[in-house]
Amino acid sequence: MSIVKLARPEIQALHAYDAAEQVDDTIRLNANESPRDCSIGNFRRPLNRYPEVRPQKLQHALAQRFGCMPDQLLVTRGSSEAIDLVIRTFCRAGQDSVLMTSPSFSMYRHYAEVQGARLIQVQSDAEQDFAIDVNAILAACDDTTRVIFVCSPNNPTGTTLPRAELERLLEQRGEHSAVVVDEAYVEFGNHASVIEMLHRYSNLLVLRTLSKALGFAGARCGAVAGQADVVSMLSAVQAPYALATPVVECVEDALQDDQLELARRTVREISSERDRLAKALTHYSFVLKVWPSDANFLLVRFANADRIMRRCAERNVLLRDFGGELANCIRISIGSQDENNQLLRTLDTLEDEANG
Ligand SMILES: Cc1ncc(COP(=O)(O)O)c(C=O)c1O
């Protein structure tokens, strides 16, 4: 059983780009490269040469880190690129649909629009702490629904979909939809990655990123994991040489034990700062609700979100506000202890004014 046959017919038939052969210690006159190494800095691979079509060492290292086989993983330019690849692979413009929960990460909508795929949105309820409603997702699917995005923990609500519910979704949709679990924030919660379920569900795809817990947003590196045949199809859609040599080397270094230990420590600090901030926020008279969060941010409903945004901006603290269903809600990313204290001091000024 495979969801390869769910993909656009022209993508099923697509062959991977036939790149020039790359063999060390040979005279390379096959790729129109410059013979002069113009590397600036200490790169292990010369910059006058194209990078590997797919960075193999990095692919193996990330597969080991995320808990899958190397051929089940495609390294991407951030997980944003993986979202785009999945939608372009599975959705025919003007015919197929993408389903996402709402509120959730806006890139799903963005890339659906770019591809001309119809968007189905399934509302989650603030009163239910934005729990993802699998029955509502199943009811909203139709014959055209090729891709379902489940962001878990969800941005911007911080909610995790319980594993049993995810399994129900995977089972019910079977070969009809790819179910993409976006785990951009998984390291910040207490729930294990669902990557280990890949061997049981052929319609499961998992997105991971190095932009959050690992702290490498500037390197633009992420991954999509799935069954090997599906990953190989996504790879055929991805641009050749997608990952630049400096990025590949930087991320290889970021996966060394000492760097990973630093990252783990930072995640612990952020999680404890998140809990401290959540508690501190409840003491303000204008804070109406702080939702529980498994991520590196808090979603907070204020009585006067505009005023909070303005005052914070005046004090050089940037927050993210939302309209529509999240009117008066602000997402606060957890910063360093000093940065969070700066935020609290700014809110103190508003509380002092409220108390006259
Ligand atoms: C849920 C979610 N998925 C994916 C991304 C994209 O991350 P990147 O492209 O940096 O890997 C983000 C970024 O904010 C996100 O919140």
Side-chain angles (χ1 to χ4, degrees):
M1 179 164 130
S2 168
I3 53 168
V4 164
K5 63 181 186 303
L6 258 194
R8 293 164 48 200
E10 56 274 33
I11 301 294
Q12 290 180 50
L14 186 70
H15 293 289
Y17 174 73
D18 187 15
E21 209 182 350
Q22 296 173 321
V23 183
D24 288 342
D25 302 323
T26 49
I27 296 170
R28 288 166 63 162
L29 306 179
N30 62 345
N32 298 348
E33 297 157 327
S34 168
R36 184 177 67 88
D37 178 11
C38 59
S39 296
I40 302 161
N42 292 322
F43 297 109
R44 293 185 285 278
R45 302 173 184 91
L47 285 191
N48 57 319
R49 300 294 174 197
Y50 280 98
E52 286 173 281
V53 178
R54 300 284 172 255
Q56 279 202 27
K57 187 173 159 200
L58 186 56
Q59 182 187 351
H60 279 70
L62 286 176
Q64 189 181 19
R65 174 167 171 71
F66 295 146
C68 62
M69 300 306 289
D71 64 357
Q72 294 179 313
L73 189 102
L74 178 68
V75 186
T76 54
R77 287 169 290 193
S79 46
S80 308
E81 188 194 21
I83 296 167
D84 181 29
L85 290 177
V86 170
I87 293 177
R88 277 195 288 142
T89 298
F90 285 99
C91 295
R92 293 165 298 175
Q95 295 185 55
D96 296 324
S97 62
V98 168
L99 185 148
M100 67 180 281
T101 61
S102 180
S104 191
F105 186 46
S106 58
M107 284 280 175
Y108 312 138
R109 173 210 306 266
H110 174 86
Y111 284 120
E113 285 173 358
V114 169
Q115 177 61 12
R118 189 163 60 85
L119 187 71
I120 302 173
Q121 296 195 70
V122 174
Q123 222 56 43
S124 46
D125 185 355
E127 300 312 314
Q128 306 291 325
D129 284 345
F130 298 105
I132 295 166
D133 184 345
V134 167
N135 288 336
I137 294 177
L138 290 170
C141 286
D142 60 29
D143 290 348
T144 70
T145 310
R146 293 283 184 274
V147 181
I148 299 172
F149 283 100
V150 175
C151 187
S152 177
N154 186 35
N155 176 11
T157 62
T159 332
T160 299
L161 176 65
R163 186 169 289 230
E165 284 297 275
L166 172 64
E167 297 202 39
R168 203 155 66 79
L169 178 61
L170 287 159
E171 272 157 27
Q172 296 278 320
R173 289 309 296 167
E175 288 182 326
H176 302 294
S177 305
V179 176
V180 184
V181 180
D182 185 342
E183 295 193 326
Y185 301 97
V186 71
E187 292 94 337
F188 297 99
N190 295 320
H191 304 274
S193 166
V194 299
I195 260 184
E196 54 91 10
M197 287 162 53
L198 281 179
H199 67 282
R200 281 192 286 138
Y201 296 101
S202 59
N203 56 342
L204 173 63
L205 292 169
V206 182
L207 307 186
R208 300 292 301 259
T209 180
L210 276 69
S211 299
K212 312 295 177 184
L214 264 118
F216 277 88
R220 307 307 302 125
C221 185
V224 50
Q227 300 283 323
D229 54 354
V230 180
V231 166
S232 131
M233 195 169 61
L234 295 170
S235 176
V237 177
Q238 189 187 36
Y241 316 115
L243 276 285
T245 298
V247 170
V248 172
E249 296 195 359
C250 153
V251 179
E252 283 171 2
D253 293 346
L255 296 175
Q256 299 303 311
D257 287 346
D258 52 338
Q259 292 298 316
L260 290 177
E261 182 45 40
L262 263 176
R264 272 192 289 273
R265 204 179 315 150
T266 309
V267 167
R268 282 197 296 274
E269 282 164 14
I270 290 174
S271 304
S272 107
E273 275 296 292
R274 176 191 63 209
D275 298 343
R276 177 178 80 93
L277 205 58
K279 207 160 155 202
L281 284 166
T282 57
H283 295 125
Y284 294 99
S285 58
F286 44 77
V287 169
L288 304 181
K289 170 96 183 171
V290 182
W291 276 279
S293 170
D294 287 333
N296 65 342
F297 52 77
L298 289 167
L299 185 69
V300 183
R301 176 166 283 146
F302 289 91
N304 49 351
D306 287 348
R307 186 133 185 262
I308 305 285
M309 291 298 290
R310 266 199 312 277
R311 177 63 55 88
C312 286
E314 283 160 17
R315 306 273 169 120
N316 287 330
V317 179
L318 299 185
L319 306 174
R320 183 80 179 256
D321 61 348
F322 300 91
E325 66 206 303
L326 290 180
N328 267 329
C329 293
I330 295 178
R331 190 191 66 195
I332 303 174
S333 304
I334 309 302
S336 67
Q337 196 176 56
D338 282 352
E339 290 172 332
N340 302 331
N341 286 341
Q342 176 70 28
L343 168 69
L344 292 174
R345 278 196 295 275
T346 305
L347 296 180
D348 287 345
T349 63
L350 284 163
E351 186 73 29
D352 289 347
E353 287 169 21
N355 294 332

